[in-house]
Amino acid sequence: MRAEITVSGIVQGVGFRPFVYRSAVENALTGYVRNRADASVEIVVEGSESNVKQFLHDLRQKKPPLARIYSMETKFLEERKEFDKFSVLRSSVRAELSGSVIPPDVSICENCLRELRDPKDARHDYFFITCTDCGPRYTIIEGLPYDRANTTMKEFKMCSFCQKEYSEPANRRFHAQTVACPKCGPKAYLASNRGEAVSSGDPIREAGKLLEEGYVLAVKGYGGFHVATATTKDKPIVRLRAVKHRSQKPFAIMARDLETVKSFATVSEKEAELLTSYVRPIVLLKKNSDYFLSDLIAPDLHNIGVMLPYTGLHYMLYDNVREPAFVMTSANPPNEPIVTNNDEAVQKLGGVVDYFLFHNRLVAQRCDDSVVRVHGEDTSFIRRSRGYAPEPIRLKHAVDKCVFALGGELNAASCVLVGDKAFVSQHIGDVENLETLRFLKSASEHLLRLTNSKPDAIACDLHPKFTTTQLARDWADELGCPVVQVQHHHAHGAALIAEHGLEEIVAVVCDGYGYGLGGEAWGGEILYCNRQGEFKRVGHLEPQPMVGGDLATRYPVRMAASILSKATRIDEWLMANRTHLPHGKQEAEVIIQQLNKGLSPLTSSCGRVLDAVSAILDVCYERTYEGEPAMKLEAAALNGKDVKLQPIVKDNVVNTTTMVHNILNRRKTEASRDLAFSAQQYLAQSLAQTAVEEAQRLDIGVIGFSGGVAYNEHITQAIGHVVEENGLQFVVHRFVPAGDGGVSFGQAVASAWQTAR
Ligand SMILES: [Zn+2]
Ligand SMILES: [Zn+2]
Ligand SMILES: [Zn+2]
């Protein structure tokens, strides 16, 4: 019997061909296997019928751990006796299917780590040791099929030792495209901050020592540079904050091992599993009572972002030092994407760091670390990037076209939706400047190429002035396809429907800002959404003035003044808080005048209400990074209790004026912690109760929660509690971030549903 098989999924770069080879030989079959340029694998086997059947069974049942089979097409034919053995053939340039893709980067495996540590091994101390089961993939691949010549490893010609392992079917490096050793592979070296090489016999361990001593280094990894320094001293972090112009934003850290993490943070079983998984994301953990690292790493927050080493190079940094962890933050100049190129690093980071730890392999795709958080047993994404991208999200309901979505303006990522798979790009960032826009373009083109897709429609935000909206129009013109604009909060709600395979939902969507249907600023919304791509705003937070527009986003005192002015005279309060405004008394006077005129733009944003409360409670007076006042408010509310602020909801509009005014009035008698807790509780309960009533009226069984505010554990749990107490199902995001990193996915599904009608 002869079988011709096409396997699509994640089958290149995961040891699939070597596995096919071994299975074929085991089953005494002849024929061949080869990669195709559409990321699928083509197999032809000949042999007895029972052996062929067993082989097909093995393909599905025994496949390598990182491989994903989405579909397998098999044609059975008469045996032709065409082959005398089974072989791995040179890749074919055929590209017919779309929907296959290459794998994400994979952290160093146990076997490679053991060899790295073995003085007798040829790859002892080799910082980029890898095999078919581990190593970079997405970040080194320039094109398909996945062969060394199509990766940034092409510069490094294999030595005879590596070549031998590469060609031995029984070897675990058989056809491992990243195979390399100290002789033939990429080299690491130290350099001064002007890029001049510093001679060192052991540059990586030397770098570890410099870090421990408090120097600041830029360390090149798989997807770009990290800026690194010690975690137990304040001084280097103060310096790093000054040069990076990041006064408050938390830095992620990389700890030497799991035991060490447990010495400063609480780690649940689920969190430990994530920390040590082959993805090695940054996991947001709670600092424990013994926390002993510098308080400047995550100032005024109860959480800290921690990851474990994921390359041989990272492991070696800790070899000769006692430092428990190093700061490891993406090296990006303000509002620009992460730096990947050595020359660019010297130019852009030379003024920030003391030394560089370079290696000489190029980065094909820049990729930041992923960030996740565990709520109970569920993982929620904050940033879905290295280790996850570009693995697709599988949909329960396939769509009949290919949609390409560009996301919004902040925390953008793009998305290619084809059939039942959504490929979301790595984290791109805030698309406000040219550099990031260029990154969005190139990452998107790469994703379209890798998935062999041609869009039938381009989706983007409703905001007429977003750079992504303009880009969508240009792109659509070029391709001759329509643009579909999707309202921001609708995209959040649609994402929930698609992730959970639902028909309809009442979604509570709370964030900072989204362009509303009439151009208003939305951000505390209750929407009805369905799988026809329709939505309706059925409730929201009370619209509040933002005195000075965007300035009110930056200075929470302005937001507090805006809301309070609707309930009371604020002159006295504002004057008492004038030191928290950059221009003091003068600015306070202007604010009062402007509020009296009543011409400020309005917003129903939940984030802005949390900002106002955080200013009134003395928690945060300036927003230096996205979500800062709300995140600090969450930390301030820990161990608080409910002082019971009576919910006021009229015509499905949740009152916030009285709530904020009550908080101010009760400051004298209640603990700040309790009021912070109660403000969160108020918003959660009144939004949830309104959503429940709407769901019951519309006869819908599911309520979801989305938007950046969903990262707040207290608010999420409190909404869930109300929903479940009323006998309804509560859903949150499982596969995409609740924040704006999930918006492109929502745009893609909503527009595919709309255009299918
Ligand atoms: Zn390995
Ligand atoms: Zn070699
Ligand atoms: Zn949003």
Side-chain angles (χ1 to χ4, degrees):
M1 174 186 262
R2 176 185 175 103
E4 298 180 358
I5 309 150
T6 315
V7 189
S8 71
I10 300 183
V11 285
Q12 295 191 11
V14 289
F16 194 73
R17 283 177 309 167
F19 153 74
V20 169
Y21 176 92
R22 283 189 287 267
S23 309
V25 171
E26 256 168 48
N27 287 300
L29 301 176
T30 60
Y32 70 84
V33 56
R34 69 177 170 191
N35 280 347
R36 279 205 206 163
D38 53 16
S40 66
V41 165
E42 171 185 320
I43 307 167
V44 175
V45 287
E46 291 198 345
S48 78
E49 187 177 336
S50 64
N51 285 357
V52 169
K53 291 270 157 78
Q54 182 60 43
F55 169 78
L56 290 170
H57 178 260
D58 290 353
L59 280 192
R60 285 197 181 274
Q61 298 306 314
K62 297 183 183 169
K63 65 175 169 29
L66 300 174
R68 307 268 187 278
I69 296 180
Y70 298 148
S71 76
M72 213 161 98
E73 249 176 66
T74 310
K75 250 195 285 178
F76 295 105
L77 302 156
E78 286 290 303
E79 189 169 345
R80 293 181 206 157
K81 299 239 185 275
E82 195 183 329
F83 317 100
D84 53 5
K85 61 178 188 338
F86 192 87
S87 34
V88 177
L89 294 190
R90 182 187 290 275
S91 301
S92 136
V93 292
R94 266 171 80 177
E96 292 156 5
L97 304 169
S98 51
S100 278
V101 79
I102 47 119
D105 287 6
V106 179
S107 71
I108 182 169
C109 72
E110 287 299 317
N111 285 330
C112 288
L113 191 55
R114 200 171 43 242
E115 287 179 3
L116 175 82
R117 297 308 194 192
D118 179 359
K120 291 198 290 291
D121 194 275
R123 294 189 187 82
H124 174 232
D125 271 1
Y126 185 55
F127 70 101
F128 269 175
I129 184 170
T130 58
C131 67
T132 43
D133 290 335
C134 76
R137 298 290 187 271
Y138 186 56
T139 54
I140 59 162
I141 292 175
E142 293 169 323
L144 284 171
Y146 176 56
D147 289 330
R148 194 162 172 123
N150 287 329
T151 72
T152 54
M153 282 300 288
K154 65 173 182 275
E155 314 283 330
F156 306 95
K157 193 174 159 8
M158 271 184 258
C159 68
S160 55
F161 168 70
C162 289
Q163 181 69 49
K164 186 165 170 282
E165 294 205 335
Y166 181 87
S167 22
E168 276 173 6
N171 196 288
R172 65 186 192 85
R173 295 201 172 83
F174 180 46
H175 279 273
Q177 308 300 344
T178 53
V179 67
C181 73
K183 232 193 290 171
C184 66
K187 310 266 185 290
Y189 56 102
L190 262 179
S192 73
N193 62 356
R194 278 178 294 176
E196 296 143 346
V198 174
S199 89
S200 164
D202 197 352
I204 298 171
R205 294 192 178 94
E206 179 82 32
K209 276 200 167 147
L210 289 166
L211 288 172
E212 185 175 51
E213 284 165 26
Y215 290 98
V216 177
L217 273 77
V219 178
K220 190 176 183 183
Y222 283 168
F225 281 85
H226 283 117
V227 172
T229 195
T231 52
T232 53
K233 303 177 183 71
D234 286 347
K235 232 171 122 188
I237 301 174
V238 171
R239 239 188 87 211
L240 189 54
R241 291 208 173 278
V243 290
K244 278 203 85 180
H245 305 290
R246 264 169 70 162
S247 61
Q248 297 286 312
K249 193 173 181 181
F251 289 133
I253 63 172
M254 182 183 275
R256 91 175 28 238
D257 54 31
L258 187 59
E259 281 318 299
T260 309
V261 179
K262 289 176 179 167
S263 68
F264 58 78
T266 58
V267 184
S268 71
E269 222 169 282
K270 179 78 192 172
E271 287 162 342
E273 190 187 300
L274 276 163
L275 282 168
T276 55
S277 71
Y278 69 78
V279 174
R280 299 283 157 92
I282 295 168
V283 183
L284 219 50
L285 300 172
K286 289 198 178 71
K287 296 172 183 168
N288 67 18
S289 52
D290 298 329
Y291 179 84
F292 62 96
L293 307 180
S294 168
D295 282 325
L296 302 178
I297 296 170
D300 299 327
L301 298 177
H302 63 298
N303 290 314
I304 183 161
V306 186
M307 66 182 145
L308 290 176
Y310 54 87
T311 68
L313 182 145
H314 294 144
Y315 275 97
M316 288 166 70
L317 287 175
Y318 297 88
D319 280 352
N320 291 347
V321 300
R322 298 175 60 179
E323 191 72 1
F326 295 130
V327 165
M328 278 280 178
T329 177
S330 292
N332 53 319
N335 302 320
E336 285 189 30
I338 183 170
V339 174
T340 56
N341 172 290
N342 292 5
D343 293 337
E344 184 197 3
V346 173
Q347 188 204 331
K348 290 187 171 167
L349 305 171
V352 176
V353 305
D354 304 308
Y355 294 96
F356 288 96
L357 179 58
F358 283 130
H359 62 71
N360 61 345
R361 183 172 66 203
L362 295 172
V363 175
Q365 275 298 305
R366 56 159 67 87
C367 200
D368 290 81
D369 298 311
S370 292
V371 187
V372 301
R373 182 171 181 172
V374 176
H375 282 175
E377 274 304 290
D378 300 321
T379 308
S380 67
F381 283 104
I382 295 173
R383 191 160 75 196
R384 188 182 182 277
S385 205
R386 176 187 54 77
Y388 295 103
E391 186 168 345
I393 293 155
R394 306 291 302 277
L395 306 184
K396 189 172 165 203
H397 304 283
V399 300
D400 60 357
K401 54 174 61 65
C402 173
V403 183
F404 175 56
L406 285 164
E409 195 86 323
L410 300 178
N411 276 315
S414 58
C415 174
V416 178
L417 173 65
V418 44
D420 64 345
K421 297 177 207 77
F423 301 88
V424 182
S425 77
Q426 71 269 45
H427 166 77
I428 305 287
D430 300 346
V431 195
E432 300 165 316
N433 69 4
L434 214 58
E435 282 285 311
T436 321
L437 188 67
R438 237 182 251 141
F439 177 29
L440 175 68
K441 264 177 150 166
S442 71
S444 302
E445 279 163 356
H446 191 59
L447 199 59
L448 286 167
R449 244 187 347 259
L450 286 178
T451 54
N452 198 31
S453 319
K454 194 178 166 292
D456 302 308
I458 310 271
C460 65
D461 196 82
L462 198 58
H463 199 300
K465 288 190 178 147
F466 276 0
T467 43
T468 43
T469 307
Q470 192 50 51
L471 181 62
R473 290 202 181 105
D474 296 347
W475 220 316
D477 277 350
E478 233 170 80
L479 292 165
C481 69
V483 172
V484 184
Q485 288 183 280
V486 180
Q487 198 279 326
H488 183 89
H489 302 95
H490 176 207
H492 278 298
L496 282 172
I497 292 185
E499 279 174 272
H500 292 273
L502 304 168
E503 290 302 322
E504 51 187 359
I505 195 170
V506 171
V508 179
V509 187
C510 290
D511 55 14
Y513 169 77
Y515 188 88
L517 278 187
E520 325 88 320
W522 288 9
E525 311 305 312
I526 304 172
L527 306 179
Y528 161 81
C529 310
N530 66 19
R531 205 160 58 77
Q532 275 74 54
E534 297 161 329
F535 88 102
K536 190 167 182 271
R537 189 191 201 200
V538 295
H540 55 88
L541 293 181
E542 178 185 353
Q544 294 290 3
M546 295 171 78
V547 68
D550 280 346
L551 278 176
T553 306
R554 172 112 183 249
Y555 299 101
V557 166
R558 283 179 168 262
M559 209 52 230
S562 302
I563 299 178
L564 288 171
S565 72
K566 287 167 74 180
T568 181
R569 279 191 67 93
I570 55 153
D571 308 38
E572 204 182 313
W573 179 82
L574 192 58
M575 280 305 160
N577 280 285
R578 66 184 185 277
T579 51
H580 303 302
L581 295 165
H583 304 289
K585 183 164 176 261
Q586 206 185 354
E587 189 173 346
E589 283 165 358
V590 174
I591 289 175
I592 293 164
Q593 274 174 23
Q594 284 179 331
L595 285 171
N596 285 340
K597 281 194 200 137
L599 295 172
S600 304
L602 300 177
T603 180
S604 54
S605 164
C606 185
R608 295 297 84 78
V609 177
L610 293 166
D611 290 358
V613 173
S614 119
I616 291 173
L617 293 180
D618 202 16
V619 170
C620 182
Y621 294 108
E622 187 185 349
R623 187 182 93 140
T624 65
Y625 60 89
E626 198 200 344
E628 177 177 355
M631 281 162 72
K632 290 187 169 171
L633 188 72
E634 184 183 6
L638 274 192
N639 306 315
K641 62 175 194 304
D642 194 4
V643 304
K644 305 237 184 307
L645 302 162
Q646 197 52 44
I648 306 173
V649 183
K650 204 178 156 219
D651 300 329
N652 285 359
V653 177
V654 175
N655 172 298
T656 48
T657 304
T658 309
M659 185 270 277
V660 171
H661 190 212
N662 278 339
I663 300 248
L664 177 69
N665 286 340
R666 293 172 77 164
R667 262 210 73 174
K668 295 170 214 94
T669 52
E670 315 272 357
S672 181
R673 180 178 63 211
D674 296 341
L675 291 171
F677 182 97
S678 308
Q680 297 181 146
Q681 188 70 14
Y682 176 94
L683 290 168
Q685 272 185 333
S686 36
L687 284 165
Q689 196 54 47
T690 311
V692 164
E693 282 158 24
E694 270 309 302
Q696 285 166 343
R697 194 177 63 81
L698 298 164
D699 196 22
I700 292 167
V702 191
I703 291 180
F705 186 37
S706 179
V709 177
Y711 294 135
N712 182 305
E713 199 172 0
H714 175 178
I715 296 181
T716 302
Q717 283 176 354
I719 292 181
H721 188 75
V722 174
V723 171
E724 283 166 0
E725 213 173 39
N726 282 280
L728 301 173
Q729 187 193 347
F730 179 61
V731 295
V732 291
H733 291 283
R734 274 199 297 201
F735 306 112
V736 297
D740 291 354
V743 162
S744 63
F745 171 73
Q747 289 174 347
V749 290
S751 53
W753 296 334
Q754 274 170 22
T755 45
R757 271 188 283 147

